[in-house]
């Protein structure tokens, strides 16, 4: 019998008693879970929230178009942040690995600060602080700049983990072939490092797409804000936000599934779970990183 | 490392499909909400609303003034909401169409300056209206912007263009609360950044305030029992009471809220220009028509008299 | 910095709310997350599937959307709570998904030999979880869990968007009166950084004490 479950080393192939226990457990779980779900749905319905007339407006293609354009705005913002943030992030990662102490300190300092400030606070600072200094940006940038500041730091850590996980032999071989250090980095180390951490990067993209929902606060045309405007139009607050949640779930879920397929198949030991590499620092089970 | 195995090929294809979908959405999204000009998709009724609207003669557009700048640019940039029903609400089935009392007045102003209702909307977020005016991001603010002396220190107001008041709404089965006087020690729901935030504590210092970002959220909160009453603009409450039997308005409006048009600080030329425009549309009946098609749909009364311009401190 | 002296009481109260939310949600999410992990690696397929759906849902849906749904849709599903507890509930459930993922990776680092030895000694599945697997799993992932807790503390700021008066929303309200955004928000940022630093140092200290030297 093949082991399908990655963690099934925890228990033996069940014998008859084990199988019986599993059946009992399954029955209890189904009843419990189904019961909770059913209860919630029933109460929901008894408040009239499942009425057809509350959901029919969503059969209108124009409404979907409105929301999907909002999703487009979300993706635009995410793409801009990803582009800027990844460039900035690579620079920061290299800075943190630099031999020059000042650069290392500056990069590390920036990374540590940017990772521990709530993005919402950065957005408020942009909304209120910059106009006082006379600077003003279009709405897209009011969202993109705070997100870039925060996400560049996370990208930097992911890329740094990738660089450090590469065997030393790669850069040593490149140097011995006569490549200069920056050429080594550019031609040998970085491409491989990024390829290694691609799943983490995609997972971070999912996290980024979620963060763009903060565009709600700056009234940027993204999915959540469009959901808000729609809800004031059709007075169907609950249904609208449920639909918006569904759109996020489907789109991000596909990305997450894509990311897990990008992982090298065949490693039994689970690498860092994708969702965690985004916010967890670089931690490799076999190469512990001392926290600075 | 080439995409050789079937799994990798499928993955690459899936990724490409997702990326293509995303790209298509991105392409569609450029040129969405903040699109100048709503005249192309206007329904017949809107066209008739603006028929014969006054247009400023050229001698009124003083050289070097804000009006001239707007005329050269070709569209008016307005700070107004997209999610305020009856005042300025975007229609999701037709995102170019934003209608309501504030929205339509802004279009009339655009016609006055430019001859066409070319309006670009910038929704103010989190009480940034003074900031948007101060650094010139928007030309005017049409956002149920109550005239106060504190605000008049940072920006200028034209108008007032409408006089409203705050009223109290409760659940239909609530017999205890008959008006603002009964709100002592109660939990009162208010809209964030509305005049109610300051007005309720003034009348009832012992009331606890809970604020919500939008009007529909506040109504929902009231109906779910998160508060005993909801204090908001009288016309908005009337519109909810009419469409929702679970809610009723009690008592009379207990404040007077003069709405003004926000503009840059110290811009006396622009202020005079806008005040002239207000007088003209009041005389021509367009002000009344705009009221009838928006707020007038829920209030059973004749067209109210517009307030006297400059009658409020700060305006 | 007169805004500080005049509003110190309000700001400290708001900070207290933030810390309280972070602590309660933190403990809750740790407990719930471990339970979800146990379900995820259990031999009962339904539980594994339910735990998988749970984590996938919360990892792919934005917290802000969940907060709005919880405040406005949950009451109609039968659960109405004041705003702050609602926010805490949402944060707990949301971060539990991340905790579950972290602990799951920890479970996978537990040596097979450990579990086999437990089985040889006659421990049941539940006992081997309780005494062998989970303790070692948790000790292996102290650092990622610390990061999840830091993310949780930062996410309490989002509760401001649904009306909870915590540090960020109080800072915003103070700024509306004083209009000194640079000073006010920088100070607030420093407070959050201090919170994150404390959590990070705490995680580091715990890790040194319980680290498994392999």
């Amino acid at each position: 019998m093949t082991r399908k479950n990655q963690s099934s080393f925890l228990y033996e192939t069940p014998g008859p008693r084990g199988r019986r226990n599993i059946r009992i457990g399954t029955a209890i779980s189904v009843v419990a879970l189904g019961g909770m779900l059913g209860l919630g749905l029933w109460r929901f319905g008894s408040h009239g929230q499942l009425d057809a007339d509350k959901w029919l407006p969503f059969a209108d293609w124009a409404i979907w178009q409105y929301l999907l354009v909002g999703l487009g705005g979300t993706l635009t913002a995410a793409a801009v942040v990803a582009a800027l943030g990844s460039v900035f992030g690579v620079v920061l990662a290299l800075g943190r690995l630099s031999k020059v102490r000042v650069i290392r300190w500056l990069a590390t300092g920036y990374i540590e600060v940017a990772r521990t400030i709530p993005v919402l606070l950065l957005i408020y600072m942009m909304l209120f602080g910059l106009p006082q200094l006379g600077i003003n940006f279009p709405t897209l940038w009011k969202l993109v700049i705070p997100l870039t500041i925060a996400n560049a730091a996370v990208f930097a850590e992911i890329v740094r983990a990738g660089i450090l996980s590469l065997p030393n032999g790669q850069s040593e071989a490149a140097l011995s072939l006569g490549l200069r250090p920056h050429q080594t980095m550019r031609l040998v180390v970085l491409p491989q490092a990024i390829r290694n951490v691609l799943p983490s990067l995609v997972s971070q993209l999912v996290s980024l797409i979620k963060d763009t929902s903060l565009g709600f606060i700056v009234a940027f045309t993204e999915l959540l804000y469009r959901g808000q405007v729609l809800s004031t139009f059709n007075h169907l607050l609950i249904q609208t936000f449920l639909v918006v949640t569904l759109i996020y779930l489907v789109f991000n879920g596909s990305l997450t599934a894509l990311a897990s397929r990008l992982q090298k198949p065949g490693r039994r030991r689970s690498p860092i779970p994708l969702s965690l590499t985004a916010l967890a620092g670089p931690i490799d089970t076999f190469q512990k990183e001392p926290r600075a | 490392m080439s995409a050789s195995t079937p799994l990798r090929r499928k993955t690459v294809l899936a990724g490409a499909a997702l990326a293509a979908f995303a790209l298509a959405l991105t392409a569609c999204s450029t040129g969405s909400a903040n699109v100048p000009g709503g005249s192309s998709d206007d329904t017949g009724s809107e066209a008739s609303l603006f028929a014969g609207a006054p247009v400023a003669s050229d001698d009124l557009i003083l050289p070097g003034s804000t009006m001239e700048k707007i005329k050269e640019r070709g569209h008016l940039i307005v700070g107004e909401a997209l999610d305020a029903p009856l005042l300025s609400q975007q229609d999701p089935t037709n995102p170019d169409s934003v209608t309501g009392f504030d929205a339509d007045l802004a279009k009339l102003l655009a016609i006055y300056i430019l001859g066409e209702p070319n309006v670009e909307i910038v929704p103010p977020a989190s009480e940034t209206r003074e900031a948007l005016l101060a650094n010139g991001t928007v030309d005017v603010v049409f956002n149920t912007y109550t005239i106060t002396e504190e605000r008049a220190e940072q920006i200028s107001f034209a108008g007032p263009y409408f006089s409203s008041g705050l009223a109290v709404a409760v659940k239909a089965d609530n017999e205890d609360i008959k008006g603002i006087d009964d709100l002592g020690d109660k939990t009162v729901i208010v809209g964030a950044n509305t005049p109610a935030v300051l007005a309720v504590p003034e009348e009832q210092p012992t009331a606890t305030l809970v604020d919500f970002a939008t009007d529909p959220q506040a109504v929902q909160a009231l109906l779910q029992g998160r508060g005993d009453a909801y204090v908001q603009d009288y016309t908005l409450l009337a519109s909810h009471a009419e469409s929702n039997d679970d809610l009723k308005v009690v008592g009379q409006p207990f404040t007077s809220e003069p709405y003004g048009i926000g503009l840059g600080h110290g811009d006396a030329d622009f202020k005079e220009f806008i005040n002239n425009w207000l007088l003209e549309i009041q005389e021509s009946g367009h002000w009344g028509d705009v009221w009838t098609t928006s707020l007038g749909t829920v209030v059973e009364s004749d067209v109210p008299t517009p307030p006297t311009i400059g009658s409020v401190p700060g305006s | 910095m007169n805004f500080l002296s005049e509003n110190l009481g309000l700001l400290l109260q708001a900070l207290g709310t933030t810390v309280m939310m972070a602590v309660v949600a933190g403990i809750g999410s740790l407990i719930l997350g471990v339970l979800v992990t146990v379900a995820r690696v259990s031999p009962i397929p339904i539980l594994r599937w339910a735990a998988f759906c749970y984590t996938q849902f919360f990892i792919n849906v934005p917290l802000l959307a969940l907060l709005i749904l919880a405040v406005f849709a949950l009451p109609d599903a039968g659960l109405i709570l004041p705003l702050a507890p609602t926010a805490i509930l949402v944060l707990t459930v949301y971060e539990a998904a991340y905790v579950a993922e972290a602990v799951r990776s920890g479970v996978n680092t537990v040596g097979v030999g450990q579990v086999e030895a437990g089985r040889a000694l006659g421990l049941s599945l539940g006992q081997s979880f309780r005494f062998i697997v989970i303790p070692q799993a948790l000790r292996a992932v102290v650092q990622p869990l610390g990061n999840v807790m830091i993310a949780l503390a930062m996410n309490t700021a989002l509760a401001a968007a649904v009306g909870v008066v915590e540090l960020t929303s109080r800072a915003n309200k103070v700024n509306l009166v004083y209009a000194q955004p640079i000073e006010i928000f920088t100070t607030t940022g420093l407070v959050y950084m201090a919170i994150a630093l404390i959590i990070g140092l705490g995680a580091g200290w715990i890790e040194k004490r319980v680290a498994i030297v392999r």
Side-chain angles (χ1 to χ4, degrees), chain B residues 97-185:
Chain B
S97 158
V98 181
T99 56
F101 190 59
D102 279 338
D104 291 336
L105 282 179
K107 285 190 207 151
L108 281 175
L109 180 59
I111 294 179
Y112 190 62
I113 302 176
L114 304 161
E116 291 283 316
N118 291 345
V119 168
E120 181 186 323
I121 300 174
V122 175
S126 301
E127 190 64 30
T128 54
R129 290 174 289 196
E130 287 86 30
L132 290 175
L133 284 169
N135 56 30
T137 319
V138 300
D139 301 315
V140 289
V141 169
F142 265 101
N143 192 229
T144 56
Y145 204 10
T146 310
I147 301 176
T148 69
E149 283 170 323
E150 291 86 19
R151 287 179 177 157
E153 285 171 28
Q154 295 181 18
I155 51 131
S156 292
F157 282 104
Y161 66 91
F162 190 69
S163 199
S164 184
L166 293 173
V168 180
V170 296
K171 281 175 80 163
D173 52 12
N174 186 321
E175 301 297 332
D176 305 322
I177 298 180
K178 297 274 190 285
I180 182 70
D181 303 318
D182 299 323
L183 289 183
D185 296 320

Side-chain angles (χ1 to χ4, degrees), chain A residues 176-194:
Chain A
S176 70
L177 281 174
L179 290 176
R180 310 296 304 281
H182 69 270
Q183 282 174 318
T184 315
M185 187 54 77
R186 190 165 58 91
L187 296 168
V188 174
V189 178
L190 268 184
Q192 291 192 58
I194 292 181

